[in-house]
Every structure is written in structure tokens, then in C-alpha cells.
Amino acid sequence: MKSGTLSYLLLCSLAQRVKVQPEVVTYPGQTVILRCQFPDPGKTELTQVSWILEGVSSRTNIAVFHPKFGINYPLSPVDGRVSFMIDPPPLDNPTIQITDIQMTDEGKYICEYATYPSGNEQGVTSLVLLAKPANSATIIPVPAGSTPVAVARCESANGRPPAAISWVTAVGGNASSPGTMQNSDNTVTVRGEYWLVPTLADNGKDISCVVTHRTLATPQTFPMNLVIEYPPQVKIVGYDNNWYLGRTNVVLTCQADGNPIPTTVTWRTMSGLMPDPVQVNENKLTVLKVDETVNATFICEVRNRLGTGRDQVTTAVREAPAPPSNAGVVAGAVIGSLLAILLVGVLISVLVSRSRRQQQGYRGNSKADSAAHLYSSGGKNGAGNNGNNNTPIYRGEAGLSEKAANHGVHPGGVALVESTPTAQDILLSSELDEAERRKFDELEEEDERYDNFRPGGPILQLRPHDEDLGAGYLDDMESQRDGSVISRTAVYV
């Protein structure tokens, strides 16, 4: 091992015998205590201790203690504000204090011992002063353009140590390198800017400056909105291409967007003359009644500090539309009438259907009743049969079967009673289904067999033989379930 390296290690080992604080942090105006100890001198003789302020370019003694000659405070930047904590201090613990700390007091403070036989030994304390900066951020209004410019500025002034500045935004730009300025009081001011090519689309976009500093528990954020200036953008709305003669209160609106806000709105026509029916109120143009004079080109001009924007619309006046036709009313009335007729028809159909259901039990007997056999005196061929008559008398309508038609009045006492059929009989007879017609045919066959039958005994009748077959006689007859009719008063043997 080289001798130089051995000497360096020995010095480091000796230097460690002086105990100091590596760093002391304080604020302007505070009182700071700088500690120094030589805890185990052993055979080393301590002859003197000195506190030295080491600046950028010089070293200055600020406090000296000699056991024989006492305490001395040489002229220094801390003169009048520095003192030993104990007067006189113990040589092995020469701690000092500095009051009313100023930003210029920051630096390295060395506690140095003069010893025998080892020579001088020391310990170094770094005094760090913190100054809370004054932070701010501002937006820089700029006109829309095609070259990059600064649109926002952020500043952290009079801080110690220097602050860090960053940006948060969604717009496409770049942050400039922060500029640092050293102040006379040893504080630092940091400034940063954000640059971009300003466009109308960037106006109002969010941007934030974020300042980070040792004195702040959390970073300080300044949210802002970009201000991009541009001349007015103008558009006329409200024309529907349907200005006809006589139309009233049609309105054109001049919509304008600009930054700064437009201050002047002017309406004019291409010819320079405003028609009589027109009224202008700021950004609105109202035509009280459309006539030929408003067949023109209207122009709206809007101004702000950066310039003028304009838009125009050409109106075309049409003929007045024809009066509305009443065809719709007539068609509605016709349709309503048809619906009413249909409703009445449906109602009648429902009532007829209900009536048919109520008379369903009589449909099977309607045809038989219309040709009911009524029994009277006299034989079928005109010959008497002990005063009794088994020949049926038919009560029915025109168009009966040939068999029934042959039973007219003749010398044998046979009578055919005819009656005019009712509308219900016709309706019911026409509604007979095939099964009911077959039933009626079977009844006719049965009647024919009965006509050919020669009963063995007489029928006792309670009325005279020559009694008129009138309405009372018909009331005496009673219909049976099989379609036949019998007398209520006749006694059959």
C-alpha cells in the first residue's frame, strides 16, 4: 500500500473524532444551533477550537476559543449574531448559535480543533436555508397563427432551493426549459413557459402549471384555460326558402363567434337600401310582411379588435300558396258515414243472430206447423165412417206439396184451410238446413201411411160434426215434439 493512501486513511480516521451534524436546515429569521464535540481526546491535547464559515471563494473565522486567551468573535457576515452556547465553553463541546438567520448565512460551517501532537482536526456542517417561494401562473392571450408562441407562463419566485416547474395539458405543444435567476438575498426565481402553434380549436383548452418545492407538502397546481384570439366567424340562419307574398314576421339571425367578443353588428343589403318592411335589432333582422321589396341579398358584418367577419343570404319571394282545400273534410265525413252504416249493419246482424238463437227450438217444427194436419169429420174419400172423420185438414201456405193441394173442400167433409205465410215463416223455412228438410220429408211419408190406415174404432169428438172449422178450432190444436198436432178436446180410442 502506498504511503499517500495510508496517510489519507489516517486523516479520515482522525477527522471522525470531531462530532458535528452533517446538515442543518432552517428558515430565514430563525435561530440555528451548530453542535461540535471532541468526545475522547485521550492523550491528544486540545489547545484551541475555531468555527469557520466557508463561502464560495473564501474562509472566515466567526468564533474562536482558547483556554488561556478566552473567546473571540472576528468580523464576519454573522458578526453580532453568533455566540457560544456556554461562556466560556468547555473545550470538548464548543457549540454555537446564530440568531436571525438570513439567506446569505447559508454555507459550510467548520468546527476545527488545534491539537497536539496530531495537529488540526475538524468536522463540517452544511447549513441549508429554505425559503418558501411565491408561485403563480398566467395565460398569455395570443392570436391564432402558424408559428409557435408562448401561451402560458409559470413562475416560482424567491425560493430556496430552486423550485421545479412542469405542465399538464392535452394540447400539442412543448414546455420551455425553466429559467433560473439568482437573487441578491440568495433566493432563486424560476420561470417556465408553454409554447404551441395557436389555432381556433385550442381556444379554451385546459392547461395546468405544477410547482414542486421542498417547502411544500404537496405540489401546487394552477389550472388555466388557453386564450386564442381570432376575428369573428359569422353565419346567418333563419332563411327557410319559403318567403311568400303576405307572410309575416320572418326573422334572420346573425350568429357570430370571435375572441375577443364582437362589439359591432351591422346589417345591410347588396343595393345599400334596407326595404321598408324590415326592422333591425342588434343581430336580428325581422321582415314584418313579405313583399317584392325583400327580394334581396342581406349582409351581416361583425367586428372585434382583430378584424371583421361577414356572411350573406339571398332571399327569393314566392307567390302566396293556394288556400287549403276542404277535400279532407269531405273525405272525413264520407268515411265517417260509411263507418256509421257499417256499425248499424253489424248491430242489426247481431240482433238477428240473437233472434235466431232464441227461436232455434222452433225451426224443426216450423215447416210441419205450416202444413199441420187437422182432423175433422168425414172420410178421406167423402164416405162417412160412423160420423167420424180421419182425413187431415192442412193449414199452410201457397206452394204446398201436391198431396196437400189435393185435399180441397169436397162432398165428404174434407176441408183445406189456407193462410198467408208470415215473414218469419218464410225466413225460418228458407233457413232450414238439409237435416231439417229430411226430417220434414219423413213426416210427410208418415202422414201418407196414416192416410192409408183404416182405424178399427171410431174417434169420439166433443163437437158437432158440422161445426165450422174456424179460429177457435185451430186454437184447440196442440203441436207435438215429433212435428204433429192433436186436438186438446178430442178423445182418441
Side-chain angles (χ1 to χ4, degrees):
M1 181 179 293
K2 296 182 179 180
S3 58
T5 304
L6 180 61
S7 299
Y8 177 78
L9 294 175
L10 180 60
L11 290 173
C12 290
S13 176
L14 292 174
Q16 291 178 358
R17 297 172 68 183
V18 179
K19 306 298 183 182
V20 295
Q21 297 165 280
E23 183 180 82
V24 174
V25 179
T26 188
Y27 291 90
Q30 302 295 314
T31 296
V32 67
I33 296 176
L34 303 179
R35 303 182 184 280
C36 181
Q37 290 180 330
F38 202 111
D40 186 15
K43 295 182 179 181
T44 301
E45 183 179 353
L46 305 178
T47 59
Q48 180 178 298
V49 63
S50 301
W51 279 97
I52 303 169
L53 172 58
E54 183 178 59
V56 177
S57 59
S58 64
R59 288 167 56 100
T60 304
N61 289 329
I62 61 174
V64 179
F65 172 67
H66 190 278
K68 182 178 179 179
F69 299 108
I71 298 173
N72 182 41
Y73 298 109
L75 184 63
S76 69
V78 294
D79 185 26
R81 298 183 288 120
V82 62
S83 63
F84 286 101
M85 293 290 294
I86 300 174
D87 187 7
L91 196 58
D92 61 349
N93 188 11
T95 299
I96 63 173
Q97 70 176 8
I98 302 174
T99 62
D100 191 20
I101 289 293
Q102 299 174 8
M103 293 303 301
T104 54
D105 296 339
E106 186 178 61
K108 292 181 179 180
Y109 289 80
I110 302 170
C111 179
E112 183 177 80
Y113 278 92
T115 69
Y116 181 83
S118 60
N120 293 340
E121 299 184 23
Q122 66 182 20
V124 180
T125 297
S126 294
L127 179 63
V128 178
L129 267 72
L130 299 180
K132 187 175 182 179
N135 303 319
S136 62
T138 57
I139 283 293
I140 305 174
V142 296
S146 57
T147 58
V149 293
V151 295
R153 181 177 294 117
C154 196
E155 182 179 88
S156 179
N158 305 321
R160 188 75 185 183
I165 292 177
S166 60
W167 298 91
V168 177
T169 183
V171 298
N174 297 287
S176 65
S177 299
T180 303
M181 182 177 67
Q182 193 76 28
N183 301 317
S184 59
D185 60 355
N186 210 32
T187 61
V188 180
T189 297
V190 181
R191 292 188 179 94
E193 293 179 337
Y194 196 84
W195 289 57
L196 58 78
V197 177
T199 65
L200 273 68
D202 295 325
N203 185 48
K205 292 292 183 65
D206 296 333
I207 187 171
S208 296
C209 170
V210 181
V211 179
T212 304
H213 192 262
R214 188 171 179 177
T215 61
L216 301 174
T218 58
Q220 188 174 4
T221 302
F222 297 90
M224 299 172 288
N225 297 102
L226 295 177
V227 177
I228 311 299
E229 297 179 336
Y230 53 92
Q233 309 295 306
V234 182
K235 182 180 181 181
I236 298 177
V237 298
Y239 180 61
D240 58 2
N241 201 29
N242 189 30
W243 284 21
Y244 54 85
L245 291 173
R247 185 177 177 182
T248 59
N249 296 323
V250 290
V251 179
L252 297 179
T253 303
C254 184
Q255 296 179 346
D257 177 31
N259 190 23
I261 297 174
T263 56
T264 304
V265 179
T266 303
W267 285 94
R268 64 183 179 87
T269 62
M270 189 68 74
S271 64
L273 298 176
M274 191 64 68
D276 292 337
V278 172
Q279 287 185 352
V280 174
N281 183 15
E282 296 181 351
N283 68 325
K284 293 185 179 298
L285 183 149
T286 304
V287 178
L288 301 179
K289 186 174 183 180
V290 175
D291 59 17
E292 293 82 356
T293 62
V294 297
N295 197 13
T297 298
F298 294 94
I299 302 172
C300 176
E301 293 182 344
V302 182
R303 295 181 180 87
N304 69 0
R305 177 169 51 84
L306 297 181
T308 302
R310 63 175 51 84
D311 189 23
Q312 67 183 41
V313 60
T314 300
T315 60
V317 177
R318 304 172 179 272
E319 293 294 334
S325 172
N326 61 353
V329 177
V330 174
V334 171
I335 294 175
S337 300
L338 292 177
L339 291 177
I341 294 173
L342 179 60
L343 180 61
V344 171
V346 171
L347 181 60
I348 293 174
S349 176
V350 170
L351 294 177
V352 170
S353 177
R354 180 176 297 178
S355 176
R356 290 173 181 173
R357 287 196 299 269
Q358 292 175 350
Q359 298 178 9
Q360 188 69 28
Y362 300 102
R363 289 183 179 179
N365 299 329
S366 60
K367 193 68 177 181
D369 290 341
S370 64
H373 299 283
L374 304 180
Y375 298 96
S376 179
S377 62
K380 179 181 179 185
N381 296 324
N385 195 3
N386 296 326
N388 294 328
N389 183 17
N390 294 332
T391 302
I393 299 177
Y394 292 89
R395 174 176 174 257
E397 66 273 13
L400 292 177
S401 65
E402 180 180 357
K403 176 181 177 296
N406 291 331
H407 292 282
V409 178
H410 54 85
V414 179
L416 176 62
V417 181
E418 296 184 357
S419 64
T420 303
T422 65
Q424 182 176 357
D425 292 335
I426 296 174
L427 178 61
L428 292 178
S429 64
S430 63
E431 293 291 332
L432 288 176
D433 55 20
E434 187 64 27
E436 292 171 331
R437 295 181 186 279
R438 287 197 301 267
K439 181 176 180 181
F440 181 73
D441 293 339
E442 292 173 359
L443 290 175
E444 285 187 332
E445 293 176 359
E446 181 178 352
D447 290 340
E448 290 177 357
R449 289 194 299 270
Y450 183 81
D451 290 340
N452 296 327
F453 175 71
R454 296 295 188 265
I459 298 177
L460 179 61
Q461 297 182 355
L462 302 180
R463 59 177 176 80
H465 175 74
D466 56 348
E467 184 180 357
D468 181 43
L469 298 179
Y473 178 77
L474 294 178
D475 293 340
D476 184 55
M477 305 309 292
E478 181 178 7
S479 298
Q480 301 300 305
R481 291 185 179 181
D482 60 355
S484 62
V485 292
I486 62 175
S487 173
R488 294 190 182 94
T489 57
V491 178
Y492 293 84
V493 180

